[in-house]
Amino acid sequence: MDRNGSFPANIADIPSEPDDALAGVTVIVCSSCRDETGSDAHPRAGALLAEDTRRAASGEKIRIHTVECLGNCKRRLSAALLRDGCWSYVFGDLDTTSGADLVAGAKLFATSTDGLIPWRGRPDSLKRGLVARIPPLDLLKDRS
């Protein structure tokens, strides 16, 4: 990995099978997120997004996990995409039907040679909804 957090193409770990690459990506969905009205109704909108994401990922080797809160409440429905040794992404302003977009983003992430989700081809909800990009811990270990 370069000092700027990029993975040079000649060093990147490029799996031989796309399915293997997908196994390295995790989608985390905030199951406690409320809808735009702030309703306490159950199931919560975040739980519906998690279920939609699981449906969209059916048959794929993408890990889908839920957490109680991603702390992104002002941006409503939230999710994160993680890949070992790569930058992590947090998204907000999603809909209960954004599961297919999260899976599409996970596929782009899995096949990326530089450890970043490419902008081109990224679903609009993942362009508009980007909240944060977090560097891998390995990038920060040697810095003071």
Side-chain angles (χ1 to χ4, degrees):
M1 180 183 323
D2 292 339
R3 285 278 176 192
N4 67 3
S6 295
F7 291 86
N10 62 339
I11 297 176
D13 182 17
I14 304 170
S16 59
E17 297 293 323
D19 284 346
D20 292 342
L22 287 175
V25 177
T26 300
V27 179
I28 297 175
V29 180
C30 178
S31 63
S32 60
C33 283
R34 296 180 171 122
D35 64 16
E36 64 277 354
T37 69
S39 170
D40 271 334
H42 286 276
R44 291 261 176 100
L48 296 174
L49 173 59
E51 189 54 39
D52 189 61
T53 305
R54 284 187 185 97
R55 273 193 301 275
S58 178
E60 304 283 357
K61 291 183 178 180
I62 300 171
R63 293 182 299 255
I64 312 293
H65 293 285
T66 56
V67 294
E68 272 302 305
C69 185
L70 284 174
N72 191 35
C73 302
K74 288 185 179 185
R75 297 284 301 266
R76 299 190 314 109
L77 276 75
S78 298
L81 294 178
L82 291 77
R83 181 176 161 201
D84 288 341
C86 299
W87 289 74
S88 297
Y89 291 80
V90 179
F91 299 98
D93 297 320
L94 299 171
D95 296 314
T96 57
T97 58
S98 295
D101 288 353
L102 290 170
V103 170
K107 288 179 178 181
L108 285 170
F109 200 13
T111 57
S112 166
T113 58
D114 64 1
L116 302 171
I117 300 175
W119 188 258
R120 181 171 293 173
R122 190 185 299 185
D124 285 341
S125 66
L126 301 187
K127 288 179 180 178
R128 289 188 316 270
L130 181 63
V131 173
R133 190 177 83 160
I134 303 162
L137 290 176
D138 289 348
L139 177 67
L140 305 175
K141 284 184 179 173
D142 293 336
R143 296 186 180 188
S144 307

